[in-house]
Amino acid sequence: MKRNMFFLVILSFLLVAGCSLATQEQAAPTKAPVQSDGGGGLSSDASAIAAERGLSPDDINAALKTYMPTGVHDDYMIFSSGGHSGQVLVIGVPSMRILKVIGVFTPEPWQGWGYGVGHEILDGGKVNGNDIHWADTHHPALSETAGEYDGEWLFINDKSMARIAVIDLRDFETKQIVKNPIAMNDHGGAFVTPNTEYIIEGGQYSAPLGGEYAPIEEYNDQYRGSVTLWKFNRDTGRIEMENSFAIELPPYWQDLCDAGKLASEGWIFCNSFNTERATGGIEKGNPPFEAGASQADTDYMHIIDLVKAEELFKAGKADVINDFSVISMQTAIDEGLLYLAPEPKSPHGVDVTPDGEFMVVSGKLDPHVTIYSIEKIKATIDAGKWETDDYGIPVLALDDVKEAQVELGLGPLHTQFDDQGYAYTSLFLDSMVARWALGGNFADKNPDEPWTLVGKTSVHYNIGHLMAAEGDTTSPDGKYLVAMNKWALDRFANVGPLLPQNFQLLDIDNEGDSMKLIYDMPLPLGEPHYAQMIKADKLSPWEIYPEVGWDSGKQEVSPNAVAPGEEKVVRDGKNVEVFMTAIRSHFTPEHVEIEQGDHVTWHITNIERAYDATHGFAIPGYDINLSLEANEHITFEFDATAPGVFSYYCTEFCSALHLEMKGYLLVKPAE
Amino acid sequence: MMTLKLQTVLGPRASEEELKNHRLRYTWPALCFGGAAILLVVSIFFPYWSLTLYAPQYPDNLVVHAYVDRVGGDVAEIDGLNHYIGMRPLGEAAQLEKSVSLIGIPALALLVVVAIFVHSQWTVLLTLPALTLPIIFLLDLFYWLNNFGQNLDPRAALSNSIDPFTPTILGEGLIGQFRTVAIADVGLLMACGASVLILVGLFLQRQAYKPLVEQNQ
């Protein structure tokens, strides 16, 4: 039976590509277009437009639900991973318009991020001393207060190099990047505890901790997984390395994590997908990872007592690896803070319900979601009822901790929640979103039978994560859900063999089997994995920086801020300091005369005070391009290696005399 | 001799009995002058004149408020725009007026209070500065608007496309892409209110004390 299932799954996976032609034909509207006779309550003009464009009544409803008249703002904001761009995208809902790209792990020219701005912060993301020019950003996490998004901070992980970034939502700028000192890569991040005390970062592909070497043959003994708990200080807005710690985990390839809340506050949960400890080596005749890691019927959900772990760390019981505190696996076992529970194989999500009572796990190769009860988990732990794995870690029996299983379809991946007692799970292989009814405290919130599938809606295609409005908080909003599809196939005009990904907006406002697809948004970048959707009125960013001369990296007035009338060029030996102001439509000074070999420190203050009065500042040839928002001050440095005449100029079309907003950097050749 | 002269200046006093019989007749002028004085003192905390500039790229408009002692509102932005046409920064206008107004206007109000106790032709003289304050303000405003508008820096970026001009003192105008609306603001309306109260007060004071003057003659 299981074997047949597995075969079916693989077959259907392979068929997706082959079926693209067929789906193209199926994509034609299935509902009759409206007639141009003014039927359906539309004005005759609107009916004529609908008829001419072949729009169905559903299409018209979708358009009416998503159209934003000029000047009207979206109700919700999505903070989405920018995938391989290493950036974060800000998207409005329901319009699905991109509002901003935030430079995070990688250089971003518009904001000058890495082109004169943010170098100290980007340096935090160096790996083995090397600059890294890409990232695999996966999971953004908004800061929370009492399990609710508070709109103050945003965190995001880079899977490729185990890094976490901190973004300040007062100005939507990155303020910190930390590189995990023990993990080589991560996946179970970023997730926050209910009051953002910690940012959770679970590792992914096991390796010796701290970047050490060990041959693959020593996998079982030397390779390890980990989960890191980054301490976040709200007052300073920074992660505190010295107050952060990690827990050593078995080499099971930990995947997604989630923080417990309410009933499960103080616990964290991570799943894993290679409890077989397959070590691959297809070229040596070994089973490839994809098969080796899928042999057992179950993998392990990791259940971690964060309260105990924090006590141990504070009591100094952690070891130190690469100058970072790590609670060893043996200590975790001895102190009773780490437990495992079987979960359907190759799981992706482990998602805590809004009341914290249940953990929902989807095994990609199992058609069910499995629901665990924190009450049962605690009772089983208290009863001391477990067996152990090879490392001596307690393994709770599935039947002892399972609340329910719900069959949804093929390839369940990730689950979120709404305000009507429904859960939503993405079905990768079915290319569908499933809505199912929760039990427990949620049973009375809708007329559907608890723990049953309620309805499914097709999405296009190969959905990965999904995300509902505030759908992973203690009080989800419902209303909207976004399917984050990996493949677009026929959904957009052909732009060559590399296709955009497709975010599809679903209206989930009505109960029952009524989820309607209302918008397709192409994302022209690689793998924007996950996103969170927050009510727009929870955000209160600045319109302009609070005071003139503002250093946004430190969020305070810069001691080097330049006031009008105090512009100058100061030389001290080979060091030249330029003090410059920018205002429409001139820089002062407009001539900067230096010599080849000088080290230049350039201070520039935008003394504009008007909303949106941004100036750019570029020095072509020296790879400098800054964005200076009103009141902002930036200091950057470079070595004047090349002689010549360089035109520095404003790169934001600031005014009618924008082109005239320029100056000459004259670099006299060395004698 | 002194007393007589002082009496001529101060005018007649009403007898205790007269005051008792016709209290209101003598109280009203005092109330008018007192009210005018209070209005004047309060007015210095409000803008006397405001100019709103409308242009497509400023959905929230730009506004400049002229107080008796300063200019407020979007001055930095307006100065920034004005540099294109070569107009001097607004803060440079009327520096003398602004420096004396916070003492000067309460002093005018004090004269009006003094006028309560002066029941002769001198009353008019005491209240005259306060009475004419709105007109003086507007004339001074016109002088400075004209001075600034007519003396543009010929080396400014847009000096070729904008001829020297006098901004509209009250009502609508047009400068470049900006539609401008200038209004008399709360402070000036208070000062006008004070003027009206002074006029009424003068009339009532004259009515009250004229019979006494005639009696004395």
Side-chain angles (χ1 to χ4, degrees), chain A residues 160-366:
Chain A
S160 65
M161 279 150 282
R163 300 182 294 175
I164 298 278
V166 179
I167 296 162
D168 189 337
L169 293 180
R170 284 174 295 183
D171 62 353
F172 286 45
E173 275 192 11
T174 305
K175 302 302 174 200
Q176 187 182 22
I177 296 173
V178 291
K179 163 77 187 97
N180 194 310
I182 62 156
M184 304 316 291
N185 44 65
D186 69 32
H187 194 265
F191 297 91
V192 297
T193 52
N195 288 298
T196 322
E197 299 92 342
Y198 289 101
I199 303 151
I200 302 166
E201 184 192 22
Q204 179 129 71
Y205 305 123
S206 303
L209 297 185
E212 297 297 314
Y213 171 80
I216 191 78
E217 290 73 22
E218 294 174 18
Y219 185 88
N220 287 350
D221 296 332
Q222 299 295 324
Y223 286 48
R224 286 293 177 266
S226 68
V227 60
T228 301
L229 294 140
W230 294 105
K231 180 72 190 162
F232 183 65
N233 182 332
R234 257 180 207 271
D235 295 333
T236 58
R238 299 292 183 274
I239 285 171
E240 294 175 340
M241 190 74 102
E242 66 281 10
N243 292 322
S244 305
F245 64 99
I247 302 165
E248 181 191 10
L249 297 177
Y252 292 162
W253 292 8
Q254 285 73 27
D255 196 52
L256 283 167
C257 298
D258 201 0
K261 55 188 127 185
L262 299 174
S264 51
E265 184 160 355
W267 294 83
I268 55 178
F269 310 94
C270 301
N271 46 28
S272 60
F273 61 97
N274 185 15
T275 47
E276 295 86 348
R277 288 176 285 167
T279 53
I282 187 172
E283 70 288 352
K284 296 172 185 163
N286 299 332
F289 281 117
E290 60 172 339
S294 310
Q295 293 301 304
D297 286 337
T298 54
D299 286 299
Y300 288 135
M301 175 168 76
H302 295 46
I303 302 159
I304 297 164
D305 186 336
L306 177 57
V307 179
K308 258 187 198 168
E310 187 182 32
E311 280 169 14
L312 282 177
F313 164 63
K314 286 187 174 162
K317 297 209 175 150
D319 298 338
V320 174
I321 300 177
N322 208 6
D323 294 330
F324 194 71
S325 296
V326 183
I327 297 173
S328 73
M329 195 158 71
Q330 195 56 52
T331 306
I333 296 166
D334 295 345
E335 301 285 342
L337 64 86
L338 173 62
Y339 303 90
L340 304 173
E343 56 185 355
K345 67 167 146 190
S346 299
H348 197 62
V350 48
D351 304 295
V352 179
T353 52
D355 61 354
E357 293 281 354
F358 306 113
M359 279 61 64
V360 180
V361 172
S362 320
K364 293 194 295 288
L365 303 183
D366 181 287

Side-chain angles (χ1 to χ4, degrees), chain A residues 352-569:
Chain A
V352 179
T353 52
D355 61 354
E357 293 281 354
F358 306 113
M359 279 61 64
V360 180
V361 172
S362 320
K364 293 194 295 288
L365 303 183
D366 181 287
H368 300 88
V369 283
T370 304
I371 297 104
Y372 299 79
S373 153
I374 188 66
E375 220 171 287
K376 292 182 179 176
I377 288 172
K378 284 179 184 169
T380 311
I381 291 173
D382 288 344
K385 191 176 170 220
W386 60 66
E387 295 179 349
T388 53
D389 74 348
D390 289 352
Y391 296 99
I393 304 168
V395 180
L396 316 179
L398 180 58
D399 286 341
D400 290 341
V401 294
K402 183 181 76 179
E403 179 74 18
Q405 279 192 312
V406 185
E407 183 166 351
L408 299 180
L410 298 181
L413 238 158
H414 178 227
T415 299
Q416 282 211 345
F417 308 94
D418 73 3
D419 58 336
Q420 305 180 83
Y422 292 125
Y424 299 83
T425 301
S426 54
L427 301 174
F428 178 80
L429 298 172
D430 278 346
S431 281
M432 291 182 122
V433 171
R435 169 188 262 174
W436 49 281
L438 292 163
N441 294 329
F442 306 97
D444 300 332
K445 290 202 157 192
N446 59 59
D448 295 289
E449 187 72 19
W451 310 126
T452 57
L453 174 65
V454 174
K456 294 204 241 182
T457 292
S458 288
V459 292
H460 313 89
Y461 303 89
N462 292 0
I463 178 174
H465 281 276
L466 52 68
M467 158 260 303
E470 311 210 345
D472 60 358
T473 67
T474 51
S475 66
D477 285 6
K479 292 189 179 68
Y480 300 111
L481 181 142
V482 175
M484 308 174 76
N485 303 300
K486 305 292 183 190
W487 285 19
L489 293 173
D490 57 352
R491 292 296 107 171
F492 307 109
N494 185 358
V495 288
L498 180 61
L499 275 68
Q501 306 218 348
N502 189 11
F503 279 12
Q504 286 182 309
L505 182 67
L506 272 67
D507 176 5
I508 56 165
D509 214 17
N510 302 310
E511 60 189 23
D513 184 11
S514 60
M515 297 178 289
K516 288 268 198 308
L517 178 61
I518 55 175
Y519 200 83
D520 279 40
M521 177 201 191
L523 274 104
L525 39 74
E527 288 291 318
H529 281 263
Y530 179 51
Q532 286 185 329
M533 194 194 304
I534 180 175
K535 192 92 194 329
D537 61 17
K538 285 190 177 177
L539 298 162
S540 47
W542 290 326
E543 289 193 344
I544 70 166
Y545 284 111
E547 289 177 63
V548 66
W550 199 259
D551 172 352
S552 70
K554 297 200 169 73
Q555 300 291 41
E556 62 188 29
V557 173
S558 167
N560 295 313
V562 187
E566 291 172 13
E567 300 91 346
K568 61 194 169 193
V569 179

Side-chain angles (χ1 to χ4, degrees), chain A residues 584-586 608-610 655 657, chain B residues 58 76-77 81 83-84 157-158:
Chain A
R584 280 161 290 169
S585 307
H586 55 271
E608 300 275 2
R609 273 171 263 179
S655 59
L657 294 169
Chain B
Y58 293 93
E77 186 64 12
L81 294 167
H83 100 279
Y84 286 119
L158 301 182

